Amino acid sequence: MLQEGVRRAGAGEVRSARARTLDSPAMVRLVVVALQWLVRHALMLLVIMAVLATGSWALKQMHQLEQSRGEVASLQRNHAALHDEPSRVSGWLDALLAGGSGAAADAGDALRRRLAAERAQREARRAVLAARNPIRVRLPGSDDFLAAARLDIEIGALRQAEAHLQAQSSLAQALGNAEGARRAISAERAQAQAAIDVRLARRRALAAKHTFLREIPGTSVYREIDRLDAERRDLEVQRARHDASMKLLDDSARLGREWQRGLRIGPEALRTLVAPIVAQVDSRAGELDRRIRDDLWRRATEEFTSVFVPALLVLAGAILSGPLIKTFTYFVLAPLAARRPPIRLPDAEREGGELHAAAIPMLNGKVSSSTLPLVLADGEELRVHADFLQSRPGTTRAATLLWLDPTRPFTSLAADMALVQHVLPDGGLPVMLSSTRQDLLELALLDLPAGSAVVLRPRGLAGLVQRIDRPIRITSHWRFASLHAWLDLQFRYLVFHGPGRLVLKGSRGVIVEASATGRTMDRIVNQAGVLGWSVGLARSSARCDSFPAYLLGKQDLLNDRFHGTGHIVYEEMPGAGASHSLVFGKGWTGLTDSVLKVFGI
């Protein structure tokens, strides 16, 4: 009993272990993985089977289509060959029958035997050909069919020739019989003519001897003359019949000879033999034409080939147009633009001034940081994008403005400076500015003294500090007559006039470069990173240094070149955070950036 209890307890533990094993998450995952593997490979098997079935069907269709087209070509060749058969066989028979027309009986019999031998020889060849290739002789597009058709035409022509010789023999016999009958009728006519002459002579003799009695009716002389006249008249009627019969026999002989001369087997007579065979070839050709015309693979391939070459040309044009246009712009337009006069704004001669950075005193190098403390003086206000307002004193007054500059709503909206935060000062306590959404953005504060002006692209503006009674003035300047503007597609320039302070944003930092004291600046900067420059600088376009890099899309064609005395402001990492698609490039974002660049934003 104890052992039985131990055994049952052990069995219960095993079942419990199995249940725990089956119910464990690891076992469930194993089953799921196994099922996923089975489903994945089952789907792969179905795909492979579908591909193989489709490929087999396509190869079969291609093979059938090629066979049909080859058979159509063979049918056309056989049709052309059969079209020339009547002329060939007619010439051959004319040469063979040349000695039989009007020949003697022995010559005609010899020719008939020769024709029978020729026909028997061709019938034997036809039987051998049909026994050797019983299927191909029935295919109208095969060579065996053409050979059998030629033998059939020759056999039929020989039979017609035999019938021709038989008709000639019968006609010759009939003409011979007609000639014998003519001679007999001619002899009978001669006899009738002689009898008429005898009776005329006797009548003239009686009339000359009995001049009186010949006129008296009832006399023996009168009766004899009357009998002679009656016999003469009967003989003349008989002679006229003989003449009519001779004329009829002459006409029949003439017509028989003419028919005998025209009795021959011409091409037209042989076309009756060729017509059924040609009809069989044409019927098969029509059937194949309908099959080819209705073939799905043919229609698909023809549609594909009809658009393949134009599509290939379009693709080649699309592939080559980019490098060709880039080559033209790099070696022609860009050097031409570099020689054109730079863009100068109208305030350049009377406004220049200095820019001052809060980060470093020398204003040359990186002037930004991730966090910017900003202290507002009395009479100043801060207008900043909400994403950069990190913290402010609780006693400051804040509000929301619809536009950064109410006079330029479109520019404010396009530069993402709508619904900005308006902050007024409170006892010199700092306002902390920092990017709350992008890790790489840093902020810089640039002083714009009175009398100074800077050309600024609003995309780099995060906010501004200005006096309430004397706000920063913004002016627009358009340049359409400059080749530089057309090449980089920027026609409008926004100039910010001091006094005030500008809060700029830049990816991974903002850099300011200044011209050395007493020296003129000549600096080339990546155009995509330029945020602004002193209004006293002349701006032009400079071609990038490496053509392969430009061709491969690693560099832009043009950089900005600045000449004169002043400052340049640009960000360290141009275009950081911009999304690019492998298929559509920058996509909608690139399109909108290009449009906004036209307006200097």
Side-chain angles (χ1 to χ4, degrees):
M1 293 295 292
L2 180 60
Q3 292 178 353
E4 182 67 20
V6 171
R7 186 177 61 80
R8 292 180 179 177
E13 291 179 358
V14 171
R15 287 194 297 270
S16 299
R18 289 180 178 175
R20 288 194 302 270
T21 302
L22 292 175
D23 294 339
S24 63
M27 192 62 185
V28 173
R29 287 196 298 270
L30 180 60
V31 172
V32 171
V33 170
L35 290 177
Q36 289 177 347
W37 185 88
L38 289 175
V39 171
R40 183 170 63 251
H41 287 82
L43 292 176
M44 186 179 299
L45 177 62
L46 292 177
V47 171
I48 293 174
M49 292 175 61
V51 171
L52 292 177
T54 304
S56 176
W57 175 83
L59 291 176
K60 184 178 179 181
Q61 292 295 320
M62 291 174 60
H63 182 66
Q64 291 180 353
L65 184 61
E66 291 301 324
Q67 280 187 338
S68 299
R69 287 174 173 171
E71 190 174 352
V72 167
S74 300
L75 288 170
Q76 293 174 350
R77 183 185 67 248
N78 289 355
H79 187 279
L82 291 172
H83 184 270
D84 298 332
E85 279 298 297
S87 300
R88 182 187 69 83
V89 176
S90 176
W92 168 63
L93 282 179
D94 286 343
L96 191 63
L97 297 175
S101 179
D106 294 338
D109 292 339
L111 185 57
R112 280 193 293 273
R113 288 193 297 271
R114 181 180 176 184
L115 292 177
E118 292 283 345
R119 177 170 57 81
Q121 180 183 4
R122 281 159 175 76
E123 288 176 347
R125 289 168 56 189
R126 177 68 168 80
V128 171
L129 184 62
R132 184 184 304 166
N133 300 303
I135 297 178
R136 289 183 58 83
V137 294
R138 293 182 175 86
L139 298 178
S142 65
D143 296 335
D144 294 331
F145 177 86
L146 180 61
R150 284 174 171 170
L151 290 174
D152 290 339
I153 295 171
E154 291 176 356
I155 291 171
L158 289 171
R159 287 173 178 168
Q160 287 187 4
E162 291 176 0
H164 166 77
L165 288 180
Q166 183 65 34
Q168 276 192 337
S169 177
S170 300
L171 181 60
Q173 183 178 0
L175 290 176
N177 294 335
E179 184 63 25
R182 185 182 183 284
R183 286 194 298 269
I185 293 173
S186 178
E188 291 179 357
R189 183 185 182 283
Q191 292 177 1
Q193 184 65 38
I196 291 172
D197 293 340
V198 169
R199 283 161 177 74
L200 285 174
R202 289 180 63 184
R203 186 183 186 286
R204 284 194 297 270
L206 287 174
K209 185 178 179 180
H210 304 282
T211 57
F212 178 73
L213 292 176
R214 68 182 182 181
E215 299 293 337
I216 301 174
T219 61
S220 59
V221 175
Y222 184 86
R223 289 194 299 271
E224 183 66 19
I225 290 176
D226 187 48
R227 185 183 63 80
L228 290 173
D229 288 339
E231 291 179 354
R232 179 178 58 80
R233 287 193 296 271
D234 292 338
L235 289 173
E236 287 179 350
V237 171
Q238 186 178 2
R239 184 188 63 182
R241 291 175 180 172
H242 290 326
D243 289 339
S245 297
M246 290 180 63
K247 185 177 184 305
L248 180 61
L249 288 174
D250 290 339
D251 292 340
S252 298
R254 178 177 57 78
L255 291 176
R257 285 190 294 271
E258 291 179 357
W259 183 66
Q260 188 179 26
R261 286 193 298 271
L263 187 61
R264 61 183 297 271
I265 302 176
E268 295 299 328
L270 295 177
R271 293 191 190 281
T272 58
L273 300 174
V274 181
I277 304 175
V278 173
Q280 188 176 358
V281 174
D282 291 341
S283 175
R284 178 60 178 171
E287 179 183 350
L288 289 176
D289 286 338
R290 289 190 297 272
R291 180 187 300 175
I292 293 174
R293 186 171 58 252
D294 299 335
D295 187 76
L296 177 62
W297 179 258
R298 180 198 64 81
R299 295 201 304 269
T301 52
E302 286 185 356
E303 289 294 333
F304 176 78
T305 53
S306 65
V307 300
F308 176 73
V309 174
L312 187 62
L313 294 177
V314 172
L315 178 61
I319 293 175
L320 297 178
S321 61
L324 291 177
I325 292 174
K326 284 190 174 184
T327 302
F328 176 76
T329 55
Y330 188 86
F331 290 103
V332 178
L333 287 183
L336 180 63
R339 292 191 293 268
R340 300 299 298 167
I343 295 177
R344 295 180 181 272
L345 299 179
D347 295 335
E349 296 182 357
R350 65 183 182 85
E351 270 189 314
E354 295 288 336
L355 296 178
H356 301 280
I360 56 176
M362 293 182 63
L363 195 58
N364 197 3
K366 186 173 181 179
V367 298
S368 61
S369 62
S370 58
T371 302
L372 179 64
L374 183 60
V375 178
L376 300 178
D378 292 337
E380 290 184 335
E381 63 176 355
L382 169 65
R383 297 187 179 187
V384 66
H385 195 284
D387 289 346
F388 298 97
L389 186 58
Q390 182 73 27
S391 67
R392 62 180 179 85
T395 56
T396 56
R397 290 171 293 170
T400 300
L401 297 179
L402 186 59
W403 313 111
L404 175 69
D405 184 358
T407 63
R408 301 179 185 277
F410 173 75
T411 301
S412 300
L413 181 62
D416 198 17
M417 292 300 290
L419 300 177
V420 297
Q421 296 296 310
H422 182 215
V423 181
L424 297 176
D426 183 22
L429 296 176
V431 177
M432 304 302 293
L433 302 181
S434 178
S435 175
T436 60
R437 297 187 181 275
Q438 298 187 35
D439 297 338
L440 295 178
L441 281 184
E442 294 187 4
L443 302 178
L445 183 63
L446 297 182
D447 287 332
L448 190 62
S452 297
V454 62
V455 182
L456 187 65
R457 288 170 177 162
R459 66 177 177 83
L461 185 64
L464 56 83
V465 179
Q466 63 184 359
R467 294 190 59 84
I468 299 176
D469 56 350
R470 190 180 177 184
I472 295 176
R473 185 169 58 92
I474 304 175
T475 59
S476 298
H477 305 274
W478 293 87
R479 293 293 183 270
F480 289 104
S482 175
L483 183 59
H484 304 289
W486 284 98
L487 283 178
D488 60 18
L489 293 179
Q490 181 176 353
F491 300 102
R492 190 178 74 155
Y493 296 87
L494 297 177
V495 180
F496 288 71
H497 302 264
R501 289 180 290 175
L502 303 177
V503 180
L504 301 183
K505 59 183 178 180
S507 179
R508 209 172 65 180
V510 177
I511 296 177
V512 176
E513 291 191 13
S515 57
T517 304
R519 296 184 62 181
T520 301
M521 173 187 291
D522 188 4
R523 198 75 173 172
I524 298 176
V525 186
N526 188 340
Q527 187 182 89
V530 174
L531 301 178
W533 61 91
S534 297
V535 76
L537 294 177
R539 174 185 171 273
S540 59
S541 299
R543 188 180 67 179
C544 67
D545 298 326
S546 175
F547 175 70
Y550 166 62
L551 186 63
L552 297 176
K554 298 182 180 298
Q555 290 185 5
D556 294 332
L557 172 64
L558 299 176
N559 293 319
D560 282 342
R561 184 170 188 171
F562 299 97
H563 183 79
T565 303
H567 303 78
I568 309 170
V569 184
Y570 58 90
E571 56 182 340
E572 281 192 2
M573 185 180 292
S579 61
H580 291 72
S581 170
L582 294 177
V583 179
F584 300 103
K586 294 182 180 180
W588 180 254
T589 302
L591 178 62
T592 54
D593 288 346
S594 299
V595 174
L596 294 177
K597 187 179 180 182
V598 172
F599 297 95
I601 301 173

